[in-house]
Amino acid sequence: MQNRVPLIAGNWKMHKNCSEAESTAEELVKLVSDVKNVDIMIAPSFVSLALVNKKINGSNISLGAQNIFWEKEGAFTGEISKDMLISAGCTYVIIGHSERRQYFNETDETVNKKIKTTLASGLKPVLCIGETEQERESKKTFSVLDKQIKNGLQSFILEDLDSLSIAYEPVWAIGTGKTATKEQAQEVHNFIRSLISKEFNSKLASAMRIIYGGSVKPDNISQLMNMSDIDGALVGGASLKSETFSKIVKFK
Ligand code: 13P
């Protein structure tokens, strides 16, 4: 994995009310306090961000948001701005998750705008990409990812992208218990890194964290992390219990 610091992130999706989020965060702080050389992030719902931030303050856990809107402020009912996320304590923003693409009309174009805003505000974007089962079966995996990356990162310059991570989340592996094999994931991660190298340069490509998401659990994390191009995980279901997530964080 070269010298890339792994990123293990928990995407809580639409789970946990405010007090549940607070108590999970509180437990997690204790469980992972001894972990070094791993970046740990949790992304609760918007309403819990500031509360969770208070619980993780001073710990080795960072706060992430599950979405962002690109406008600074204004009449955009239901949306959330970069300033709001920063004031709630966020460091990371998950962008373009397949559930947002599938249910909320997220497109490569909106993803592109959101990444732009995120980078300009000093927050760290985690760009999510991934193919559906049908696309994999019809051998379109690489062309789908190629398009998602090229369009999502269109018109960025090299200097912009230092803090970007990419999460490869095959849609067929999300919440299904069907993890990609370590070989399947490695093959795709290697493809993504080569594409970044071709589109930008090899220095950026070798520094960029490419993390895997899709049914990551305590019992499959180590084999995934052993692969040379897998730099961490974006965890859904298994991040909801502090004890389970802490085992993933301590994958070694
Ligand atoms: P699961 O870990 O529940 O499969 O979800 C993965 C995911 O979508 C993380 O963003």
Side-chain angles (χ1 to χ4, degrees):
M1 200 174 57
Q2 310 229 344
N3 293 324
R4 297 180 291 270
V5 176
L7 170 63
I8 306 285
N11 174 9
W12 290 358
K13 306 190 181 182
M14 198 175 74
H15 292 283
K16 296 185 189 294
N17 62 29
C18 291
S19 62
E20 289 163 347
E22 284 182 298
S23 53
T24 308
E26 210 163 23
E27 290 159 16
L28 190 64
V29 166
K30 291 186 201 128
L31 288 165
V32 301
S33 62
D34 56 335
V35 173
K36 294 196 176 64
N37 301 320
V38 175
D39 288 345
I40 308 166
M41 179 260 271
I42 49 177
S45 75
F46 289 147
V47 292
S48 300
L49 283 173
L51 295 166
V52 166
N53 189 45
K54 282 206 181 106
K55 298 292 178 189
I56 62 176
N57 196 14
S59 77
N60 53 350
I61 306 172
S62 302
L63 192 67
Q66 298 176 21
N67 193 14
I68 188 171
F69 188 53
W70 55 83
E71 292 289 348
K72 192 174 158 32
E73 64 181 357
F76 303 104
T77 302
E79 291 298 324
I80 193 145
S81 73
K82 64 177 165 64
D83 289 344
M84 295 170 189
L85 296 181
I86 291 168
S87 72
C90 287
T91 310
Y92 291 90
V93 186
I94 297 169
I95 296 174
H97 192 281
S98 61
E99 287 148 15
R100 297 217 55 85
R101 294 178 191 254
Q102 204 177 339
Y103 306 129
F104 305 101
N105 301 322
E106 191 85 81
T107 63
D108 289 337
E109 289 65 41
T110 59
V111 163
N112 183 273
K113 287 185 182 181
K114 290 179 179 189
I115 296 177
K116 214 165 271 173
T117 300
T118 300
L119 288 168
S121 61
L123 291 160
K124 300 175 184 176
V126 178
L127 163 62
C128 300
I129 57 172
E131 81 288 1
T132 62
E133 184 150 45
Q134 202 192 5
E135 287 162 345
R136 177 162 278 265
E137 276 167 7
S138 52
K139 310 238 174 303
K140 290 196 188 122
T141 299
F142 294 128
S143 63
V144 167
L145 300 174
D146 184 272
K147 185 170 152 289
Q148 288 175 338
I149 291 176
K150 284 185 183 155
N151 292 346
L153 300 183
Q154 193 178 21
S155 80
F156 284 107
I157 53 164
L158 192 63
E159 287 68 32
D160 290 335
L161 295 173
D162 276 358
S163 67
L164 176 85
S165 303
I166 294 182
Y168 168 57
E169 299 204 302
V171 178
W172 48 271
I174 296 178
T176 58
K178 250 203 255 178
T179 326
T181 64
K182 59 187 196 304
E183 292 81 11
Q184 280 173 325
Q186 166 59 25
E187 183 189 30
V188 171
H189 282 227
N190 183 264
F191 167 81
I192 296 168
R193 204 175 299 287
S194 311
L195 185 61
I196 295 293
S197 180
K198 214 161 53 182
E199 292 293 302
F200 298 96
N201 73 14
S202 61
K203 187 160 169 262
L204 178 75
S206 69
M208 186 174 285
R209 290 191 290 203
I210 304 174
I211 66 176
Y212 169 80
S215 299
V216 173
K217 304 275 182 301
D219 62 5
N220 58 27
I221 182 70
S222 340
Q223 43 176 317
L224 290 161
M225 292 303 291
N226 273 336
M227 306 309 279
S228 59
D229 286 299
I230 301 183
D231 307 317
L234 184 53
V235 186
S239 72
L240 297 174
K241 288 213 166 82
S242 52
E243 174 120 19
T244 312
F245 187 57
S246 73
K247 288 186 186 146
I248 298 176
V249 169
K250 299 178 184 186
F251 60 89
K252 277 166 208 160

